[in-house]
Amino acid sequence: MDKRSGLVTRVVLGAFVLFICFFWMTQITAQLAPHTRKKVRFWHMWTAEWKDVVDKIVDRYNKSQTEYEVEALSVPNPGADSKFILGVMGGDPPDVMAQWSPIIPPWADDHLLRPLDDLMSPEEKQIFDAQAYPVVKKLGTYKGKLYGMSIGINMFAIYYLPQHFKDAGMNPDRMPSTLEELSAAGKKLNRFDSSGNLTRLGWGPSNIKMFAPIFGGGFFDWNNAELTIDSKQNVAALDYMSKIRSDLGFDNVVRFTSGLDMNSSSGGWPFIEGAYSMTMDGQ
């Protein structure tokens, strides 16, 4: 073996040894990382197939860095609030929790939540204030303190069945552009049997939270910190919603809807079955 061949052999052997050392060091680091990272206990309210989605997100995050180790726990919605309060009282609460109940004001007043302002550096707070949507900041802020960050905003829209429009002699490519046009279209889309019983609802708004803002209403005066439940605007929204059902007959609507699966997240969504021609829903 000449000198050149020997040099090549030594280089190859050296590279192989370095690879083996690097491989074993990587494995050891991966095994030790969970024990040296800062634990973050994360409670959330997603269950069933959504729990699997959250677990995968947490797993990807844990693999993306070595400073924190998130431990996710699914807490079903009916008992999530009680479990959190008991955890605080027992001195063993989660570090962070995904919540969709309106809990920030009462929990903040009871000192169950720690303001995120205390955990942010001035630079982080400046970035958040500059980049977060105003509504996101508003939803998480109470008495000038930030207690939560929105992970997403529910975007609602009006869905309609084009075939129902065609059957009623309406253009399926042109949705009503005003509330008055929407109500008129709903009347054309209603269907009844020979006895006058409602068999299909063209348009039946039922969520006051969605319609109060359309009439200029709301439920809280942020400037004066007062509830505005019985405002003229809210009453006008209720009048609009109740008139649609009154025209159909309240008993008629109740009989029709009582036999439907009203849970839009299930496979029996009335809209999919064709029980509604138009409906408002979100993700």
Side-chain angles (χ1 to χ4, degrees), residues 201 204-206 241-250 253-254 257:
L201 184 59
S206 59
M241 295 167 58
S242 63
K243 186 178 186 309
I244 291 178
R245 293 183 175 242
S246 177
D247 292 343
L248 292 168
F250 286 109
V253 175
V254 170
T257 57

Side-chain angles (χ1 to χ4, degrees), residues 119-188:
L119 304 176
M120 288 182 172
S121 67
E123 294 77 16
E124 290 171 335
K125 187 67 165 62
Q126 184 178 11
I127 292 173
F128 176 75
D129 289 338
Q131 296 184 0
Y133 285 108
V135 68
V136 170
K137 291 185 285 187
K138 185 176 181 180
L139 287 172
T141 301
Y142 179 65
K143 292 184 178 179
K145 292 286 188 178
L146 180 68
Y147 289 95
M149 295 184 183
S150 298
I151 60 171
I153 301 295
N154 282 339
M155 302 300 294
F156 279 72
I158 296 176
Y159 298 83
Y160 73 100
L161 294 175
Q163 188 59 49
H164 287 192
F165 274 51
K166 293 178 181 179
D167 295 342
M170 301 163 58
N171 184 356
D173 296 324
R174 183 187 179 279
M175 269 293 290
S177 58
T178 66
L179 196 58
E180 291 76 14
E181 290 182 0
L182 193 65
S183 303
K187 292 181 179 179
K188 294 180 181 179

Side-chain angles (χ1 to χ4, degrees), residues 43-175:
W43 290 4
H44 63 84
M45 298 159 68
W46 285 286
T47 58
E49 66 271 21
W50 290 108
K51 176 185 178 299
D52 295 335
V53 173
V54 175
D55 287 342
K56 290 178 181 178
I57 294 172
V58 170
D59 184 58
R60 287 179 60 184
Y61 174 76
N62 287 338
K63 291 179 179 177
S64 71
Q65 44 75 53
T66 58
E67 186 174 358
Y68 299 101
E69 181 74 14
V70 176
E71 298 177 340
L73 176 65
S74 174
V75 184
N77 190 16
D81 294 356
S82 299
K83 182 176 177 63
F84 174 82
I85 294 174
L86 289 173
V88 174
M89 294 175 63
D92 192 28
D95 297 299
V96 62
M97 184 174 187
Q99 258 278 1
W100 44 76
S101 300
I103 46 77
I104 286 182
W107 286 7
D109 284 338
D110 291 338
H111 305 289
L112 300 179
L113 302 177
R114 181 176 181 180
L116 296 178
D117 310 75
D118 299 343
L119 304 176
M120 288 182 172
S121 67
E123 294 77 16
E124 290 171 335
K125 187 67 165 62
Q126 184 178 11
I127 292 173
F128 176 75
D129 289 338
Q131 296 184 0
Y133 285 108
V135 68
V136 170
K137 291 185 285 187
K138 185 176 181 180
L139 287 172
T141 301
Y142 179 65
K143 292 184 178 179
K145 292 286 188 178
L146 180 68
Y147 289 95
M149 295 184 183
S150 298
I151 60 171
I153 301 295
N154 282 339
M155 302 300 294
F156 279 72
I158 296 176
Y159 298 83
Y160 73 100
L161 294 175
Q163 188 59 49
H164 287 192
F165 274 51
K166 293 178 181 179
D167 295 342
M170 301 163 58
N171 184 356
D173 296 324
R174 183 187 179 279
M175 269 293 290

